[in-house]
Amino acid sequence: MNQNFKIKEAKELLEKEGYIVFKPSKIQLEHSKECEECGFEGDCFDCACSICLMQQ
């Protein structure tokens, strides 16, 4: 069994159980770091981080 198949199988299992599974993009990770540094306070209008989803 290769790594990609295992990842796909795990993702499908979690999604079947109602979980949201995604790999954050580079920009999402950068923005989430900025949000964390400012205490999650600020304007989310141009923010791509989706930290609201990542915290759950």
Side-chain angles (χ1 to χ4, degrees):
M1 227 185 265
N2 71 30
Q3 183 83 12
N4 287 336
F5 180 77
K6 289 180 183 180
I7 291 169
K8 184 179 178 184
E9 191 175 55
K11 183 179 177 194
E12 288 173 356
L13 174 65
L14 289 168
E15 287 175 339
K16 191 166 74 170
E17 293 298 319
Y19 292 92
I20 297 171
V21 181
F22 70 97
K23 183 176 181 179
S25 69
K26 182 179 177 183
I27 192 74
Q28 285 176 310
L29 294 173
E30 289 172 6
H31 284 189
S32 68
K33 185 174 181 170
E34 291 173 18
C35 286
E36 186 175 355
E37 289 170 353
C38 74
F40 306 106
E41 299 289 330
D43 185 11
C44 297
F45 180 71
D46 291 328
C47 187
C49 81
S50 302
I51 196 70
C52 304
L53 292 174
M54 289 187 214
Q55 283 184 323
Q56 297 193 21

